[in-house]
Amino acid sequence: MAYSPISHLLLPMNIMLNKIVTLIIIVIIFTVGTLQAQESKKNQLLLTAAAGISFNSIDNLRLPDDARLSGFGSSVSLIWQPEYLLSVGFETGWLFMNKIERTNITTQFGSTSISSLWQAVPLLCIFGMKIHDNVSLYGGFGYYDIIAVNESFGTTVATSQMNAGLSGALDYHLNLNSQSAFGARFTLHNITELQQRLITLQFSYHYSLLAW
Amino acid sequence: MHSLFPKCPHGKSDCIQYIAVLFSFCLFILHSGCIDNPEIIHPTFENDTIITHAKPLQSLVMNSTEGVYDIVSSSVNWGSKAVLHWTNGALCFYFENSGIYAVLRGGTVNNTFAFSGLWRNPLTINTGKVQCIIEDTTQIMSIIRSGTISQLTTIPITLNILSNAGESRQSLTLRYARPSKYRNENYFIIAHRGGGRNSDLLPYSENSLELIRFSQYIGANAVEIDIKLTSDGIPILYHDTDFNSRLIGNGTLIGPVESFSFTQIRTFAKLHDGSNIPTLREALNFIIDSTSLRFVWLDIKSANAMRAIIPLQKEFTQKAQQKNKLLFIAAGLATEEFIQDFMTIPQFSTIPSIVETTVDDMRKVNAKVFAPRWTLGTQNELIQSVQTDGRFAFVWTLDDQKFIRKFLAEGQFNGILTNFPSIVAYEYYAQ
Amino acid sequence: MRNLFLIFLVTMACLVKAQSNEIDTLTHRGVLYARHSPYALTWSLGIAITSIPRDIVEEEINRFPFLQADIAYGLPYNFSLVAKLNTMVLTNRLLSGIQWNYPLSSFDIALGTDIGYLLGFVTINGFDNSINSWLVYPYIQCGYHHNEILVSVRAEAEYITSQQTFAGDIQVSDTRNRRNGLAFSLIIEQPFFHNQRCALGLKISYSDFVYQAWPAFETFKRTLTVPEVFCAFTFP
């Protein structure tokens, strides 16, 4: 079915936002619940925002040569960092996958302009581990909601599909003060179900929401 | 000063251990993200001089040599018997073990019979090239011309089983034993999804035109194809609800099939073998013009596709009749909902259909075929009552050789739907 | 497959090389770890997610999480009794077995064997399919413990001693005494809060029959690489 250009864009966005907000609330409630049970003061709740570029390293897709494979990639994570080895949290974001844009091309159905955009919203459970004073490693698993918008032949179609996947990230950070740190991050997203791979290079900012 | 990321909690030496552990962990993650599940290398024949230069054999030779052959010597374990069958000029062998098949093309080259093609074990990834060259053709021709076919038992036929690169590896020698047992003309070996599933690692994608063509060579004389509807109402051959990595080999479309128009699908989506997703019109045209298939089972995957396929069903049944081609096209009604929907169509009882639910439903819609699932058993009395009404009965989806053998020996069905037509072909023709 | 084996060997070598001189005296409360305190009962509850190739299971049973419960009881002379349950209603696998460990400074090497029973039944769209199977899993596990953090790498083999699948009353298959495959796991257990621990693991199986995908009734003979991630909470 075809949607109007405005409504089709709003629909998946709203659904996605609802999903993300619900999951963030669940993580916060869960974390606060464990927080109250803690007597130790060696824990902190860390909010990390990262922004940079996302590169679609394609394994099996036969995309045309003029397809754009890199774009903006952002992520937000909320991590509970206890005194022990592993920290646990949730990560989401908005990652560019690929875009094809062509004007006035000739197809067997006549001349048309084509625009196809794929973006991924990760919904991951992540585990982090500090391996050096300034270096942390993260591994995550969960789902990637692939949101695609295709405009061609005068019709715009927006679709989304959930695909299972894994991620691994290396984060280098420098402390700014007792509450914040700044760094850079390399992340590999393997959307295994779709057999797609995304590499992101981002600047990251870490902020301690709570420490106890 | 207190910092956001404190020093490593357990000192530097521990960090080295953590790195070792995490290094492995990351390797695990990376590895699990790029899993190589079995791949198959299909042989190619672009420069095969036998296929390009051979002249086709006379139909008398083809008809006379069809039959059951004994394997008299072999360096491969393909069983003790094979069935030789000609399909659209291709020399096809179906072997006793696991439905292993060989499909060869060729004919006469400089007074010899020469054939070249591929062999495959359909249950594994084992495949390669095969060649058959008979240098002394005078004896064969004199036996065939004299009509004393039983004397073919004196002539050995040797298949050279080659690697993909064309090197000789193994050989297998057959001798004619007896004619094939054709139980009746109306027995249907129906290839599921146009010939098999993508998971069976066939050389072509499921529900593609080339796979429909290939299905004849691996033993099918009928196909089942899956029908979905595009957003602009065009029936296409596609199985799943979504465009996904299982079926689509390029990454521009993703999500529900019914969201996209035919022009978008044709422009942006390719199957794994690089071919287009065919429309039902293209598929039926192809079946009539380019195959000898005799039955098409339209497995309707979305309820709204029903009304779109019926005009095509009528149009192509007529087209086949005009071409004096025996072809039966029937709409599959898999659920009660589909049957209810079907009964709202004017003159539904004149539309050829296949009912999968009950015999009562079959009579209600005057379906031409009753198709119960195989797990209900042979149901001989019920099937006989269906056939007494002049209808057919098919069983689905039978893939296991021992059950195929059992249903052929003990059952009364008119056809078997299968992912492995070569197993059914061997068991049926060798009876 | 060879890569996985190399990863396993590298991990084992790294762990042994990084051996600490400290002799740990902490009580081991990890369920999945190689050593358990005598007469102590520990158990854990979590979920396991397996990613089965979409080609095999198509749209039907992919990415379904399993509930995973583990229980361990320490015995004298370095022996332990262990049990594991994986369930998602349609598929249930119960394992139980005995393991013996050899402590080595901060390390523990364990040898053991689990005996498993698999029971599955699915009734969908008039299908009435079921499976029952007896399985054997011999394994070797290397554990490293430090500051209450328990890290384990484990290699296990899987044998099917008997397996029957049914469609209604018809027996579809009967498999006896078949080597099914290998699996490698990496598991980290650490304190969570109070006496609780959390466990995180990744397991890569390389096997012919994937029990999570039994309703697919695969006829095609192939060996599949299947990753499984699991996360569990451990209780003393």
Side-chain angles (χ1 to χ4, degrees):
Chain A
M1 70 200 92
Y3 301 98
S4 76
I6 296 174
S7 64
H8 84 266
L9 284 169
L10 291 176
L11 186 68
M13 284 290 289
N14 285 341
I15 294 169
M16 278 316 306
L17 280 174
N18 284 342
K19 285 177 187 170
I20 292 164
V21 169
T22 311
L23 278 163
I24 289 173
I25 289 169
I26 290 169
V27 171
I28 291 172
I29 290 171
F30 174 76
T31 316
V32 170
T34 59
L35 192 158
Q36 287 167 348
Q38 276 287 352
E39 288 170 8
S40 156
K41 300 286 182 190
K42 295 172 179 173
N43 298 272
Q44 57 184 338
L45 186 63
L46 208 63
L47 180 72
T48 300
I53 61 161
S54 168
F55 176 71
N56 194 178
S57 134
I58 289 176
D59 282 330
N60 68 333
L61 300 185
R62 290 185 284 266
L63 287 181
D65 294 340
D66 59 348
R68 188 153 69 85
L69 302 176
S70 57
F72 182 71
S74 62
S75 57
V76 179
S77 58
L78 195 62
I79 295 173
W80 169 54
Q81 193 172 282
E83 61 180 305
Y84 302 110
L85 183 66
L86 284 173
S87 50
V88 186
F90 169 77
E91 180 178 310
T92 185
W94 193 267
L95 305 171
F96 177 91
M97 289 183 74
N98 60 64
K99 182 168 187 171
I100 301 166
E101 238 175 343
R102 292 172 177 182
T103 51
N104 294 324
I105 61 151
T106 308
T107 72
Q108 65 181 106
F109 307 104
S111 181
T112 183
S113 294
I114 290 170
S115 168
S116 161
L117 173 66
W118 279 29
Q119 292 177 101
V121 176
L123 301 166
L124 303 174
C125 177
I126 54 167
F127 295 86
M129 186 187 279
K130 193 171 177 60
I131 58 167
H132 190 265
D133 291 347
N134 300 100
V135 182
S136 296
L137 270 176
Y138 297 93
F141 68 94
Y143 294 97
Y144 291 81
D145 196 359
I146 310 298
I147 297 171
V149 181
N150 183 300
E151 294 176 47
S152 55
F153 301 102
T155 315
T156 305
V157 181
T159 51
S160 75
Q161 190 185 68
M162 283 287 191
N163 287 274
L166 299 160
S167 78
L170 186 70
D171 192 286
Y172 178 81
H173 37 70
L174 294 167
N175 290 316
L176 296 174
N177 54 43
S178 63
Q179 282 215 298
S180 59
F182 182 76
R185 167 181 292 212
F186 168 84
T187 313
L188 182 67
H189 295 275
N190 258 315
I191 310 174
T192 51
E193 201 173 341
L194 194 63
Q195 296 172 322
Q196 284 282 286
R197 190 173 293 168
L198 298 177
I199 293 167
T200 61
L201 288 168
Q202 297 167 314
F203 290 107
S204 58
Y205 177 74
H206 310 268
Y207 182 77
S208 175
L209 288 176
L210 284 170
W212 65 97
Chain B
M1 187 182 80
H2 179 71
S3 62
L4 180 63
F5 288 100
K7 296 279 182 193
C8 268
H10 311 300
K12 272 192 177 173
S13 62
D14 293 333
C15 286
I16 293 164
Q17 294 156 15
Y18 299 156
I19 289 167
V21 170
L22 267 164
F23 173 71
S24 308
F25 197 87
C26 292
L27 282 177
F28 266 110
I29 286 181
L30 290 177
H31 185 89
S32 59
C34 49
I35 288 164
D36 297 317
N37 279 312
E39 284 197 10
I40 187 167
I41 300 165
H42 295 289
T44 53
F45 300 94
E46 282 104 18
N47 302 317
D48 195 309
T49 50
I50 292 175
I51 292 173
T52 51
H53 289 85
K55 292 176 189 159
L57 293 187
Q58 300 164 22
S59 56
L60 175 67
V61 179
M62 295 197 234
N63 294 337
S64 307
T65 49
E66 279 195 336
V68 180
Y69 284 69
D70 288 327
I71 298 173
V72 290
S73 71
S74 172
S75 54
V76 288
N77 182 22
W78 289 2
S80 62
K81 283 188 169 52
V83 167
L84 187 157
H85 196 74
W86 292 90
T87 306
N88 279 7
L91 171 61
C92 309
F93 290 96
Y94 310 119
F95 293 90
E96 185 182 27
N97 281 1
S98 309
I100 294 169
Y101 57 80
V103 180
L104 301 96
R105 288 205 163 271
T108 311
V109 183
N110 300 332
N111 294 325
T112 62
F113 291 158
F115 298 89
S116 178
L118 62 85
W119 67 272
R120 169 82 196 269
N121 181 336
L123 302 182
T124 69
I125 57 169
N126 297 332
T127 186
K129 290 185 177 180
V130 61
Q131 278 185 356
C132 174
I133 293 168
I134 302 168
E135 292 191 348
D136 181 12
T137 59
T138 48
Q139 199 186 354
I140 293 180
M141 292 311 292
S142 67
I143 290 169
I144 290 168
R145 287 197 187 104
S146 66
T148 51
I149 304 299
S150 58
Q151 288 181 18
L152 279 176
T153 52
T154 58
I155 300 171
I157 298 173
T158 299
L159 299 182
N160 291 313
I161 300 156
L162 314 173
S163 70
N164 264 335
E167 297 155 358
S168 184
R169 292 274 184 246
Q170 315 273 357
S171 68
L172 181 147
T173 305
L174 309 108
R175 275 182 204 275
Y176 181 84
R178 58 183 167 83
S180 297
K181 182 181 177 185
Y182 293 86
R183 192 157 58 177
N184 64 59
E185 284 296 316
N186 286 326
Y187 201 84
F188 295 100
I189 300 169
I190 310 157
H192 190 218
R193 297 190 193 170
R197 301 157 299 184
N198 276 8
S199 60
D200 300 321
L201 306 176
L202 290 158
Y204 309 103
S205 291
E206 66 181 55
N207 284 309
S208 67
L209 297 183
E210 282 306 318
L211 187 63
I212 290 171
R213 189 205 302 272
F214 189 66
S215 72
Q216 315 167 85
Y217 305 132
I218 58 176
N221 58 11
V223 283
E224 180 254 26
I225 48 180
D226 302 296
I227 312 296
K228 297 281 292 181
L229 206 61
T230 63
S231 66
D232 49 350
I234 296 182
I236 56 168
L237 271 60
Y238 195 82
H239 179 272
D240 290 2
T241 308
D242 279 5
F243 286 120
N244 54 47
S245 57
R246 189 182 85 78
L247 294 175
I248 297 297
N250 67 336
T252 324
L253 298 190
I254 194 166
V257 175
E258 287 163 16
S259 300
F260 298 98
S261 67
F262 171 67
T263 49
Q264 288 172 319
I265 292 169
R266 179 52 56 93
T267 310
F268 296 113
K270 300 280 180 218
L271 298 170
H272 274 295
D273 63 359
S275 64
N276 287 323
I277 297 173
T279 62
L280 178 58
R281 175 176 289 279
E282 287 168 338
L284 292 175
N285 255 325
F286 182 82
I287 289 167
I288 291 173
D289 295 338
S290 308
T291 75
S292 55
L293 297 167
R294 293 191 283 126
F295 191 99
V296 182
W297 177 338
L298 306 175
D299 191 356
I300 303 166
K301 291 291 176 194
S302 39
N304 58 355
M306 185 91 70
R307 284 167 196 274
I309 68 155
I310 286 164
L312 291 170
Q313 194 183 348
K314 283 181 184 163
E315 179 188 335
F316 284 94
T317 303
Q318 282 171 1
K319 184 179 175 182
Q321 282 166 354
Q322 284 162 6
K323 291 198 159 192
N324 286 327
K325 190 178 166 75
L326 186 68
L327 182 70
F328 194 81
I329 305 166
L333 306 174
T335 64
E336 290 288 345
E337 292 73 32
F338 278 25
I339 290 167
Q340 294 303 324
D341 193 37
F342 185 69
M343 288 171 71
T344 62
I345 296 169
Q347 296 180 311
F348 67 87
S349 62
T350 62
I351 301 166
S353 60
I354 302 171
V355 163
E356 297 178 23
T357 52
T358 63
V359 170
D360 287 343
D361 286 340
M362 176 198 73
R363 296 208 166 98
K364 216 159 52 182
V365 299
N366 192 30
K368 293 283 180 272
V369 181
F370 175 56
R373 64 178 183 275
W374 75 273
T375 53
L376 296 172
T378 51
Q379 308 182 89
N380 282 345
E381 279 183 30
L382 186 75
I383 299 308
Q384 276 169 8
S385 75
V386 167
Q387 289 163 335
T388 314
D389 292 351
R391 303 175 210 267
F392 290 155
F394 298 158
V395 61
W396 56 272
T397 302
L398 262 175
D399 289 345
D400 189 297
Q401 190 160 13
K402 70 174 183 289
F403 289 110
I404 289 168
R405 196 172 289 161
K406 177 185 162 73
F407 272 72
L408 283 168
E410 299 168 15
Q412 301 290 325
F413 287 97
N414 304 94
I416 291 176
L417 176 65
T418 181
N419 287 298
F420 303 111
S422 58
I423 300 178
V424 182
Y426 171 80
E427 295 295 339
Y428 176 67
Y429 294 127
Q431 277 185 103
Chain C
M1 180 61 204
R2 197 174 56 187
N3 289 346
L4 280 175
F5 189 64
L6 282 173
I7 290 167
F8 178 74
L9 286 182
V10 166
T11 310
M12 294 278 276
C14 288
L15 284 174
V16 171
K17 192 164 184 183
Q19 183 178 157
S20 159
N21 292 325
E22 180 189 347
I23 295 172
D24 198 283
T25 53
L26 292 166
T27 304
H28 297 292
R29 289 197 293 265
V31 182
L32 303 162
Y33 190 64
R35 182 147 62 97
H36 306 97
S37 303
Y39 308 111
L41 183 76
T42 47
W43 60 283
S44 72
L45 199 61
I47 58 162
I49 298 172
T50 310
S51 180
I52 305 164
R54 200 167 182 159
D55 268 6
I56 313 299
V57 292
E58 300 194 350
E59 298 176 295
E60 288 131 24
I61 49 170
N62 200 5
R63 60 191 192 187
F64 212 88
F66 276 65
L67 190 69
Q68 177 169 310
D70 284 275
I71 190 162
Y73 183 69
L75 295 173
Y77 306 109
N78 294 347
F79 283 96
S80 309
L81 291 174
V82 291
K84 179 193 289 291
L85 173 71
N86 295 88
T87 179
M88 50 84 82
V89 184
L90 305 179
T91 305
N92 308 280
R93 188 185 66 159
L94 180 67
L95 304 181
S96 67
I98 189 160
Q99 74 176 31
W100 173 80
N101 75 76
Y102 180 74
L104 196 73
S105 181
S106 291
F107 292 86
D108 292 282
I109 310 289
L111 296 170
T113 300
D114 287 344
I115 308 290
Y117 180 68
L118 171 67
L119 177 67
F121 42 85
V122 56
T123 310
I124 299 173
N125 298 332
F127 285 89
D128 178 16
N129 300 336
S130 61
I131 187 169
N132 64 68
S133 180
W134 285 99
L135 308 143
V136 179
Y137 300 86
Y139 61 84
I140 178 168
Q141 185 167 335
C142 177
Y144 170 71
H145 61 87
H146 184 68
N147 288 339
E148 291 204 73
I149 294 163
L150 310 174
V151 180
S152 308
V153 286
R154 173 178 166 128
E156 68 184 24
E158 184 177 3
Y159 292 90
I160 296 172
T161 53
S162 140
Q163 184 174 91
Q164 290 84 37
T165 55
F166 297 88
D169 296 330
I170 301 169
Q171 185 173 320
V172 178
S173 69
D174 185 9
T175 308
R176 307 267 171 182
N177 301 324
R178 196 180 78 185
R179 189 179 68 79
N180 190 42
L182 296 169
F184 301 95
S185 315
L186 177 71
I187 305 154
I188 298 172
E189 292 172 271
Q190 69 161 37
F192 187 60
F193 64 85
H194 291 309
N195 289 328
Q196 277 190 354
R197 285 171 176 270
C198 67
L200 175 69
L202 189 69
K203 178 176 176 179
I204 310 284
S205 303
Y206 188 77
S207 52
D208 299 341
F209 167 75
V210 181
Y211 83 90
Q212 294 95 331
W214 75 267
F217 278 132
E218 257 275 276
T219 320
F220 199 98
K221 295 174 183 68
R222 73 185 86 203
T223 304
L224 293 172
T225 310
V226 174
E228 177 182 296
V229 179
F230 63 90
C231 175
F233 293 101
T234 303
F235 304 92

